Amino acid sequence: MFEILTTDQMYEADRRTIDGGVSGETLMDTAGRMVFDEIVRHWSPRSVSVLCGPGNNGGDGFVIARLLRDEGWSVRLGLLGDTENLTGDALLHAKRWDGATERLSPALVVGADLIVDCIFGAGLARDITGEVADLIAATNQSMAAVVSVDVPSGIDGNTGAVMGCAIKADLTVTFCRAKPGHYLLPGRQHCGELAVRDIGIPDQVVAELRPNCWRNDPALWRAGICWPGLDGHKYHRGHLLAFGGGAMSGATRLVARAARRSGVGLLTIVSEPSAMPVYAADAPGNMTASIGGLDGLLNDCRHNAFVVGPGYGVGDDTRGLVLQLLHLCRATVLDADALTSFADDPSTLCFAIKGPTVLTPHEGEFSRLFPDISGDKLARARAAAKRSGATVLIKGADTVIAAPDGRAAISSVDAPWLATAGSGDVLAGIIAGLMAQGMEMFDAACMGAWLHGRAGSDIGPGLIAEDIPDHLPTVLRELWLASRK
């Protein structure tokens, strides 16, 4: 269940399921039971306050409150508005609640050991203010554990934006599929643990919606991995040219190590002659070549992929090199200085991209390259990919990868340890290495981001960029063994 659905797609999935013969009443009852199951799995009986809004999210709350009370929990229920104003399935389930219904207010969280947030769902359209904002503040300040239903109230399900204020949950339970706001910051920070539960919406219904956004998971790109064959040789695994700067050699050395650990057959670092001894001494498997012999290198079609930018320097020389490489339409990864060198003329870069190209900006580099593109991270990545014709990967804790055709993936690995110097250089090297081996650019960017994140999560505290490439064999072996089952 790694597809990600927008709020509109989720509403449509509900509608189609109901049209197929499953009543809305049953869907709401099942949703409430799924949340109940998660609550009793995580906590023992205690005093709980269920905070209900006026829509279907609140209807789920009535189901949850009834089930918890029937199991002997001490339950208080608060409702925003009056029961008489509820409609549809929410009203049906509200009538089955025979306990007291209090007015929704901050007083409800006083003395509660667990708070169940069913105030607003993913489709919230305006900022939260007034007494509900006060209630959310009181909830966040309390010592109680918090469970949110669908999304934490105040989070935009499509963008992850905070709508004025938002609940900070310890557990969020959503249904059928996750939404972008569960993974995009700051929404992801408000969700706590995320549980996606099946409530009876058929997979076929989801498939008919043709989702084009996914959680970045091996299931998305596993089929595109270019594992070496028994009859293969090193040139079958690609020959990557990594362009190294003279003054900042460390970045390209990280690129080179990551690319080789990703499986590329051969790697040559191309630099000024004065820097070649530094790169040659770094690792015996690194080959080196002078930038003065570039034309000869590029005439050899076995040099099938390029990575340029980390530590290379910003300026006209970098611009000229990038345009020369793009003209060949071979697999290319552009990062760091290769992107910033086009900040004054991004249209020239976009016009030059004709072959398989991946751009890997962080937020600052993205804003310099695409200053007129705004919106949430997913929307910005898609717009930049469509404009440039490249796969665009915007780095961060919520890394987003977008292809020119609109496909997108969002990373969900928790790896804060990756926020360290050189980490992005390693990512560029991994992606370039995968592309050199023949992997399609969107798949390579997704797999590279996943490998990078998984390594960061596994290594944990104390991680430095040099650690990441050396952990790749462990993660790649897991993928390889899984592919043989």
Side-chain angles (χ1 to χ4, degrees):
M1 302 202 307
F2 61 98
E3 302 99 333
I4 296 176
L5 299 182
T6 66
T7 55
D8 285 346
Q9 286 174 321
M10 193 63 241
Y11 293 144
E12 180 64 13
D14 283 340
R15 186 191 68 77
R16 293 189 184 193
T17 301
I18 292 170
D19 288 348
V22 179
S23 70
E25 176 188 354
T26 298
L27 285 177
M28 185 171 289
D29 183 77
T30 304
R33 291 181 183 277
M34 294 300 101
V35 179
F36 166 78
D37 287 348
E38 288 291 336
I39 290 173
V40 299
R41 186 168 70 87
H42 283 78
W43 293 282
S44 59
R46 61 197 60 205
S47 61
V48 56
S49 291
V50 181
L51 314 178
C52 296
N56 285 343
N57 209 239
D60 297 337
F62 279 98
V63 177
I64 297 162
R66 186 181 77 244
L67 294 172
L68 288 172
R69 185 202 57 191
D70 290 348
E71 285 294 309
W73 292 50
S74 174
V75 179
R76 295 174 68 187
L77 183 145
L79 175 65
L80 181 61
D82 299 319
T83 303
E84 296 75 26
N85 293 331
L86 297 175
T87 59
D89 302 316
L91 178 60
L92 285 174
H93 285 290
K95 288 180 177 179
R96 293 174 183 167
W97 168 253
D98 57 6
T101 300
E102 304 178 44
R103 184 177 68 87
L104 199 68
S105 73
L108 277 163
V109 306
V110 176
D113 297 313
L114 177 69
I115 299 168
V116 182
D117 159 37
C118 307
I119 308 172
F120 301 118
L124 184 65
R126 60 181 182 275
D127 284 357
I128 296 174
T129 59
E131 193 168 31
V132 177
D134 295 338
L135 170 60
I136 288 176
T139 299
N140 291 341
Q141 291 166 10
S142 76
M143 300 299 293
V146 179
V147 178
S148 285
V149 177
D150 191 17
V151 297
S153 290
I155 295 297
D156 185 309
N158 286 331
T159 69
V162 173
M163 308 294 285
C165 60
I167 292 282
K168 284 200 168 184
D170 298 288
L171 169 68
T172 297
V173 185
T174 195
F175 313 113
C176 180
R177 301 294 189 273
K179 300 173 182 67
H182 289 122
Y183 298 124
L184 295 173
L185 296 178
R188 181 169 161 187
Q189 293 175 295
H190 285 255
C191 288
E193 178 187 345
L194 178 65
V196 183
R197 297 297 301 264
D198 177 18
I199 59 171
I201 295 174
D203 289 343
Q204 181 59 33
V205 167
V206 174
E208 289 170 358
L209 297 174
R210 297 184 177 180
N212 64 352
C213 184
W214 300 270
R215 174 173 54 85
N216 190 12
D217 183 272
L220 178 62
W221 36 261
R222 183 182 286 117
I225 301 175
C226 300
W227 298 116
L230 287 176
D231 60 345
H233 55 73
K234 58 190 176 184
Y235 280 104
H236 285 161
R237 303 180 71 184
H239 189 160
L240 175 66
L241 300 185
F243 291 85
M248 298 182 63
S249 65
T252 306
R253 288 154 60 193
L254 287 169
V255 168
R257 190 167 188 85
R260 293 177 59 210
R261 286 296 192 188
S262 76
V264 70
L266 302 98
L267 178 134
T268 296
I269 299 176
V270 185
S271 71
E272 294 293 337
S274 60
M276 289 170 58
V278 175
Y279 291 117
D282 184 59
N286 289 345
M287 294 183 289
T288 60
S290 170
I291 192 70
L294 181 59
D295 289 343
L297 291 170
L298 299 184
N299 286 335
D300 186 344
C301 62
R302 294 178 300 177
H303 299 141
N304 65 322
F306 314 123
V307 54
V308 60
Y312 199 74
V314 176
D316 291 341
D317 288 345
T318 302
R319 285 166 52 92
L321 172 62
V322 168
L323 295 176
Q324 184 178 5
L325 299 178
L326 291 175
H327 180 72
L328 298 173
C329 296
R330 298 177 196 171
T332 303
V333 175
L334 302 179
D335 185 39
D337 295 343
L339 303 175
T340 301
S341 291
F342 288 89
D344 294 334
D345 189 15
S347 61
T348 295
L349 174 62
C350 294
F351 182 78
I353 294 172
K354 306 298 181 186
T357 305
V358 176
L359 312 181
T360 57
H362 57 55
E363 288 285 5
E365 290 161 349
F366 184 93
S367 64
R368 289 192 288 271
L369 199 58
F370 302 103
D372 59 325
I373 294 180
S374 59
D376 64 271
K377 196 168 188 176
L378 179 58
R380 288 186 288 117
R382 279 178 161 153
K386 182 177 181 180
R387 176 184 296 179
S388 66
T391 288
V392 174
L393 182 154
I394 308 180
K395 293 180 281 197
D398 56 347
T399 291
V400 173
I401 307 102
D405 61 8
R407 290 175 295 156
I410 307 174
S411 293
S412 61
V413 177
D414 289 326
W417 329 109
L418 290 171
T420 186
S423 176
D425 305 324
V426 171
L427 176 60
I430 296 171
I431 297 170
L434 295 173
M435 292 176 70
Q437 294 171 73
M439 202 169 192
E440 185 269 335
M441 62 178 181
F442 178 71
D443 287 353
C446 290
M447 181 176 175
W450 186 87
L451 290 171
H452 188 254
R454 172 64 186 276
S457 178
D458 287 354
I459 297 166
L463 174 149
I464 57 176
E466 293 90 327
D467 298 330
I468 303 169
D470 291 344
H471 189 70
L472 293 180
T474 299
V475 184
L476 286 167
R477 180 175 176 81
E478 290 181 16
L479 290 173
W480 178 67
L481 291 174
S483 73
R484 295 165 60 86
K485 292 180 180 178

